[in-house]
Amino acid sequence: MVGRWRDGTGTLHVVGGADGADGAEEDREGAKGSAGRAEGLSAGRAAGIPLTIAASCRARARGLLGRDGLTGALLLTPASGVHTFRMRFAIDVAYLDRRLTVVDVHTLRPGRLGRPRLRSRHVLEAEAGALERWGVRRGVRVVIAPGPSAPPPPSVR
């Protein structure tokens, strides 16, 4: 049975990062399970990126509204689409499937509506340009290591 995500913090790691690897070998060796433990991630991958997890209805609705910027990334779960109405800055949006594999990546300017992705179960948001720097692109897998204030992510079968 799949558990539920909770609001909290964590660290985001990119498996298959900017070096062009597809992440398959790293996935077998390092990231045990799709909720992703950060153990075994090799050097050369994106370093731990601060992550805020928004799983409650209230936290997802608030998202990045009213903020002037973002340090790290925001994970909205469950989510299949986002908007940037009333936002003050452009964002990168990565749509993730249930195994935390990137389905699609887009940059949205303020006042836009992102088209929902049917296979998407989670949405990762960051300031415009950040996802490219971190090596987040279609087909890459991300791993989430829970922070001290968050329970471990749910496992996926």
Side-chain angles (χ1 to χ4, degrees), residues 28-89:
R28 285 190 295 275
E29 293 176 5
K32 313 273 194 247
S34 69
R37 293 172 182 87
E39 46 202 58
L41 292 176
S42 65
R45 305 286 185 213
I49 300 157
L51 179 71
T52 302
I53 300 168
S56 69
C57 188
R58 174 178 276 176
R60 287 191 320 267
R62 171 131 165 78
L64 296 175
L65 296 177
R67 296 188 194 185
D68 290 321
L70 174 66
T71 301
L74 174 69
L75 178 73
L76 303 172
T77 181
S80 61
V82 296
H83 67 83
T84 57
F85 301 126
R86 298 185 355 208
M87 288 189 60
R88 299 176 182 161
F89 57 98

XYZ file of all heavy atoms in Angstrom, residues 28-89:
437
model
N 19.452 1.518 -10.428
C 19.612 0.155 -9.924
C 20.566 0.113 -8.751
O 20.388 -0.648 -7.824
C 20.119 -0.747 -11.045
C 19.059 -1.106 -12.047
C 19.559 -2.178 -12.967
N 20.666 -1.732 -13.803
C 20.539 -1.086 -14.950
N 19.343 -0.790 -15.406
N 21.593 -0.729 -15.656
N 21.633 0.919 -8.804
C 22.652 0.847 -7.779
C 22.356 1.712 -6.562
O 22.523 1.274 -5.441
C 24.005 1.290 -8.347
C 24.538 0.329 -9.373
C 25.818 0.843 -9.979
O 26.305 1.894 -9.524
O 26.326 0.201 -10.896
N 21.962 2.975 -6.787
C 21.925 3.925 -5.694
C 20.575 4.218 -5.105
O 20.398 4.206 -3.900
N 19.609 4.498 -5.909
C 18.323 4.949 -5.396
C 17.424 3.744 -5.189
O 16.891 3.202 -6.119
C 17.687 5.935 -6.374
N 17.263 3.324 -3.981
C 16.455 2.156 -3.656
C 15.021 2.581 -3.460
O 14.686 3.174 -2.456
C 16.956 1.503 -2.365
C 18.443 1.313 -2.319
C 18.835 0.024 -2.945
C 20.245 -0.303 -2.609
N 21.180 -0.308 -3.625
N 14.159 2.294 -4.444
C 12.749 2.667 -4.328
C 12.498 4.031 -4.934
O 13.357 4.878 -4.952
N 11.292 4.227 -5.424
C 11.007 5.456 -6.131
C 10.896 6.657 -5.228
O 11.098 7.772 -5.656
C 9.719 5.305 -6.922
O 8.656 5.214 -6.035
N 10.528 6.452 -3.979
C 10.459 7.593 -3.091
C 11.860 8.080 -2.834
O 12.073 9.194 -2.415
C 9.778 7.211 -1.786
N 12.796 7.216 -3.114
C 14.172 7.619 -3.199
C 14.861 7.891 -1.903
O 14.597 8.859 -1.240
N 15.778 7.032 -1.585
C 16.705 7.327 -0.500
C 17.931 7.910 -1.150
O 18.333 7.487 -2.218
C 17.024 6.053 0.261
C 15.805 5.542 0.983
C 16.096 4.174 1.566
N 14.924 3.645 2.217
C 13.972 2.960 1.613
N 14.022 2.719 0.322
N 12.955 2.511 2.293
N 18.563 8.855 -0.508
C 19.690 9.543 -1.110
C 20.972 8.746 -0.979
O 22.008 9.176 -1.441
C 19.861 10.913 -0.454
N 20.934 7.588 -0.372
C 22.148 6.811 -0.192
C 22.641 6.288 -1.529
O 21.889 5.914 -2.396
C 21.882 5.655 0.763
C 20.609 4.949 0.422
C 19.998 4.174 1.554
O 19.699 4.765 2.590
O 19.822 2.977 1.351
N 23.956 6.264 -1.695
C 24.550 5.696 -2.882
C 24.594 6.625 -4.078
O 25.019 6.212 -5.140
N 24.157 7.854 -3.952
C 24.232 8.767 -5.088
C 25.686 9.123 -5.316
O 26.405 9.464 -4.404
C 23.408 10.034 -4.826
C 21.915 9.813 -4.765
C 21.221 11.109 -4.402
C 21.374 9.265 -6.051
N 26.106 9.024 -6.548
C 27.507 9.242 -6.856
C 27.841 10.721 -6.899
O 26.989 11.562 -7.110
C 27.844 8.599 -8.202
O 27.140 9.237 -9.233
N 29.126 10.999 -6.725
C 29.590 12.372 -6.853
C 29.413 12.781 -8.309
O 29.405 11.958 -9.206
C 31.048 12.454 -6.447
N 29.268 14.032 -8.573
C 29.073 14.508 -9.925
C 27.604 14.747 -10.240
O 27.271 15.361 -11.227
N 26.730 14.237 -9.453
C 25.303 14.507 -9.625
C 25.012 15.840 -8.939
O 25.811 16.350 -8.177
C 24.454 13.404 -8.974
C 24.775 12.032 -9.455
C 24.224 11.829 -10.842
N 24.440 10.451 -11.243
C 24.665 10.087 -12.477
N 24.721 10.976 -13.426
N 24.831 8.831 -12.782
N 23.808 16.378 -9.187
C 23.436 17.630 -8.546
C 23.503 17.454 -7.035
O 23.014 16.463 -6.500
C 22.043 18.050 -8.971
N 24.139 18.384 -6.372
C 24.239 18.326 -4.917
C 22.851 18.460 -4.315
O 21.905 18.846 -4.993
C 25.141 19.448 -4.429
N 22.715 18.144 -3.047
C 21.414 18.222 -2.393
C 20.801 19.605 -2.527
O 21.411 20.611 -2.203
N 19.609 19.642 -3.041
C 18.892 20.892 -3.264
C 17.814 21.002 -2.199
O 17.034 20.068 -2.028
C 18.254 20.879 -4.672
C 19.348 20.732 -5.730
C 17.418 22.125 -4.897
C 18.857 20.181 -7.037
N 17.760 22.117 -1.451
C 16.722 22.259 -0.433
C 15.335 22.142 -1.054
O 15.064 22.712 -2.110
C 16.940 23.663 0.144
C 18.197 24.171 -0.443
C 18.586 23.295 -1.585
N 14.468 21.400 -0.397
C 13.146 21.114 -0.935
C 12.087 21.357 0.128
O 12.254 20.965 1.278
C 13.092 19.652 -1.397
C 11.772 19.167 -1.962
C 11.519 19.796 -3.327
C 11.780 17.653 -2.086
N 11.000 21.994 -0.280
C 9.822 22.138 0.562
C 8.742 21.260 -0.043
O 8.511 21.305 -1.242
C 9.346 23.605 0.602
O 10.408 24.423 1.082
C 8.130 23.754 1.509
N 8.103 20.441 0.802
C 7.060 19.537 0.330
C 5.710 20.110 0.726
O 5.469 20.382 1.903
C 7.242 18.130 0.925
C 8.610 17.575 0.515
C 6.117 17.205 0.475
C 9.018 16.330 1.263
N 4.831 20.294 -0.258
C 3.482 20.807 -0.024
C 2.501 19.697 -0.389
O 2.229 19.462 -1.565
C 3.224 22.056 -0.862
N 2.003 19.002 0.623
C 1.109 17.873 0.388
C -0.318 18.147 0.845
O -1.248 17.542 0.329
C 1.647 16.629 1.090
N -0.496 19.046 1.790
C -1.853 19.348 2.254
C -2.532 20.280 1.254
O -1.871 20.982 0.480
C -1.814 20.002 3.633
O -1.260 21.299 3.551
N -3.837 20.277 1.285
C -4.606 21.125 0.376
C -4.227 22.600 0.571
O -4.038 23.325 -0.404
C -6.094 20.914 0.624
S -7.136 21.735 -0.583
N -4.076 23.030 1.792
C -3.733 24.421 2.092
C -2.338 24.773 1.564
O -2.144 25.811 0.934
C -3.801 24.667 3.589
C -3.319 26.062 3.964
C -3.444 26.305 5.423
N -4.815 26.738 5.654
C -5.331 26.983 6.830
N -4.615 26.808 7.917
N -6.563 27.395 6.951
N -1.366 23.914 1.802
C 0.005 24.184 1.351
C 0.093 24.195 -0.175
O 0.793 25.023 -0.759
C 0.968 23.151 1.928
N -0.609 23.275 -0.844
C -0.604 23.248 -2.311
C -1.266 24.494 -2.877
O -0.807 25.061 -3.863
C -1.304 21.995 -2.834
C -0.503 20.734 -2.656
C -1.090 19.562 -3.423
N -2.538 19.468 -3.416
C -3.263 18.774 -2.555
N -2.674 18.108 -1.583
N -4.574 18.735 -2.653
N -2.374 24.928 -2.272
C -3.084 26.118 -2.759
C -2.217 27.366 -2.600
O -2.215 28.242 -3.465
C -4.399 26.287 -2.009
N -1.481 27.458 -1.518
C -0.604 28.610 -1.290
C 0.582 28.572 -2.240
O 0.933 29.575 -2.844
C -0.116 28.638 0.145
C 0.954 29.670 0.406
C 0.672 30.506 1.607
N 1.817 31.253 2.070
C 2.274 32.362 1.520
N 1.701 32.839 0.441
N 3.291 33.002 2.021
N 1.210 27.409 -2.369
C 2.334 27.259 -3.290
C 3.346 28.369 -3.166
O 3.866 28.642 -2.092
N 3.614 29.048 -4.265
C 4.585 30.142 -4.286
C 3.930 31.517 -4.283
O 4.609 32.523 -4.452
C 5.476 30.003 -5.529
C 6.348 28.752 -5.573
C 7.082 28.664 -6.905
C 7.316 28.726 -4.422
N 2.609 31.575 -4.087
C 1.913 32.859 -4.098
C 2.415 33.764 -2.986
O 2.615 33.334 -1.855
C 0.407 32.657 -3.961
C -0.259 31.912 -5.106
C -1.735 31.709 -4.814
C -0.066 32.648 -6.410
N 2.620 35.020 -3.311
C 3.051 36.011 -2.336
C 4.545 36.021 -2.087
O 5.032 36.838 -1.331
N 5.293 35.148 -2.716
C 6.747 35.115 -2.525
C 7.433 35.913 -3.633
O 6.938 36.007 -4.746
C 7.279 33.685 -2.566
C 6.754 32.817 -1.456
C 7.486 31.505 -1.464
N 6.809 30.515 -0.640
C 7.286 29.319 -0.403
N 8.428 28.942 -0.917
N 6.625 28.473 0.352
N 8.598 36.463 -3.292
C 9.384 37.205 -4.275
C 10.459 36.328 -4.911
O 11.117 36.738 -5.860
C 10.054 38.421 -3.634
C 9.030 39.477 -3.270
O 8.081 39.675 -4.052
O 9.178 40.097 -2.199
N 10.667 35.161 -4.377
C 11.689 34.259 -4.896
C 11.606 32.928 -4.170
O 10.758 32.727 -3.299
N 12.498 32.028 -4.538
C 12.485 30.700 -3.965
C 13.913 30.187 -3.878
O 14.657 30.257 -4.856
C 11.646 29.758 -4.845
C 11.622 28.281 -4.498
C 10.933 28.063 -3.160
C 10.900 27.502 -5.578
N 14.289 29.708 -2.725
C 15.574 29.046 -2.561
C 15.305 27.557 -2.620
O 14.532 27.035 -1.832
C 16.211 29.408 -1.202
O 16.369 30.820 -1.150
C 17.550 28.726 -1.036
N 15.910 26.876 -3.564
C 15.666 25.453 -3.717
C 14.441 25.209 -4.578
O 14.216 25.885 -5.573
N 13.648 24.205 -4.171
C 12.499 23.802 -4.976
C 11.291 23.547 -4.091
O 11.409 23.397 -2.874
C 12.846 22.548 -5.770
N 10.125 23.485 -4.724
C 8.869 23.185 -4.050
C 8.247 21.987 -4.747
O 8.109 21.987 -5.971
C 7.921 24.390 -4.117
C 6.505 24.178 -3.586
C 6.522 23.990 -2.068
C 5.617 25.358 -3.949
N 7.891 20.960 -3.984
C 7.226 19.783 -4.532
C 5.764 19.829 -4.141
O 5.427 19.872 -2.957
C 7.860 18.503 -3.986
C 7.206 17.202 -4.467
C 7.563 16.949 -5.928
C 7.633 16.039 -3.602
N 4.878 19.864 -5.147
C 3.438 19.821 -4.916
C 2.985 18.383 -5.158
O 3.233 17.825 -6.226
C 2.710 20.755 -5.882
C 3.125 22.222 -5.854
C 2.467 22.978 -6.988
C 2.792 22.843 -4.530
N 2.354 17.792 -4.158
C 1.921 16.407 -4.299
C 0.624 16.174 -3.560
O 0.495 16.606 -2.420
C 3.013 15.430 -3.812
O 2.553 14.097 -3.987
C 3.384 15.650 -2.365
N -0.371 15.566 -4.131
C -0.454 15.200 -5.534
C -0.805 16.415 -6.378
O -1.506 17.311 -5.925
C -1.574 14.170 -5.562
C -2.453 14.548 -4.411
C -1.530 15.119 -3.368
N -0.332 16.423 -7.610
C -0.631 17.519 -8.532
C -0.315 17.069 -9.948
O 0.622 16.296 -10.153
C 0.187 18.760 -8.183
N -1.088 17.557 -10.900
C -0.806 17.239 -12.297
C -0.697 18.499 -13.148
O -0.376 18.423 -14.325
C -1.888 16.323 -12.877
O -3.138 16.962 -12.830
N -0.955 19.661 -12.554
C -0.860 20.918 -13.282
C -0.731 22.079 -12.318
O -1.015 21.943 -11.125
N -0.287 23.219 -12.836
C -0.095 24.417 -12.004
C -0.486 25.664 -12.788
O -0.693 25.608 -14.000
C 1.376 24.553 -11.540
C 1.773 23.413 -10.634
C 2.315 24.657 -12.715
N -0.547 26.774 -12.091
C -0.759 28.072 -12.726
C 0.181 29.072 -12.078
O 0.740 28.812 -11.006
C -2.216 28.535 -12.563
C -2.586 28.845 -11.148
N -2.296 30.065 -10.568
C -3.198 28.104 -10.201
C -2.724 30.057 -9.316
N -3.272 28.871 -9.063
N 0.362 30.207 -12.733
C 1.213 31.251 -12.170
C 0.440 32.560 -12.019
O 1.029 33.632 -12.047
C 2.475 31.474 -13.043
O 2.063 31.794 -14.369
C 3.360 30.242 -13.050
N -0.872 32.465 -11.872
C -1.673 33.662 -11.647
C -1.283 34.278 -10.306
O -1.088 33.576 -9.322
C -3.169 33.339 -11.666
C -3.627 32.734 -12.963
C -4.300 31.531 -12.980
C -3.371 33.362 -14.170
C -4.712 30.967 -14.171
C -3.778 32.817 -15.368
C -4.450 31.608 -15.372
N -1.162 35.597 -10.260
C -0.792 36.366 -9.063
C 0.618 36.061 -8.572
O 0.960 36.382 -7.436
C -1.802 36.158 -7.937
C -3.178 36.631 -8.286
C -4.167 36.540 -7.163
N -3.652 35.909 -5.957
C -4.379 35.262 -5.086
N -5.670 35.166 -5.262
N -3.852 34.737 -4.014
N 1.445 35.451 -9.391
C 2.839 35.215 -9.003
C 3.700 36.371 -9.468
O 3.355 37.074 -10.423
C 3.342 33.892 -9.583
C 2.710 32.715 -8.875
S 3.441 31.153 -9.317
C 5.117 31.398 -8.828
N 4.835 36.554 -8.809
C 5.687 37.702 -9.079
C 6.908 37.371 -9.931
O 7.662 38.266 -10.296
C 6.157 38.294 -7.752
C 5.018 38.773 -6.897
C 5.506 39.261 -5.562
N 4.383 39.674 -4.737
C 4.428 39.797 -3.442
N 5.545 39.538 -2.796
N 3.370 40.175 -2.765
N 7.153 36.103 -10.209
C 8.349 35.728 -10.955
C 8.076 34.482 -11.788
O 7.152 33.718 -11.518
C 9.532 35.492 -10.013
C 9.296 34.448 -8.955
C 9.753 33.147 -9.125
C 8.627 34.754 -7.770
C 9.538 32.182 -8.157
C 8.418 33.800 -6.794
C 8.869 32.505 -6.993
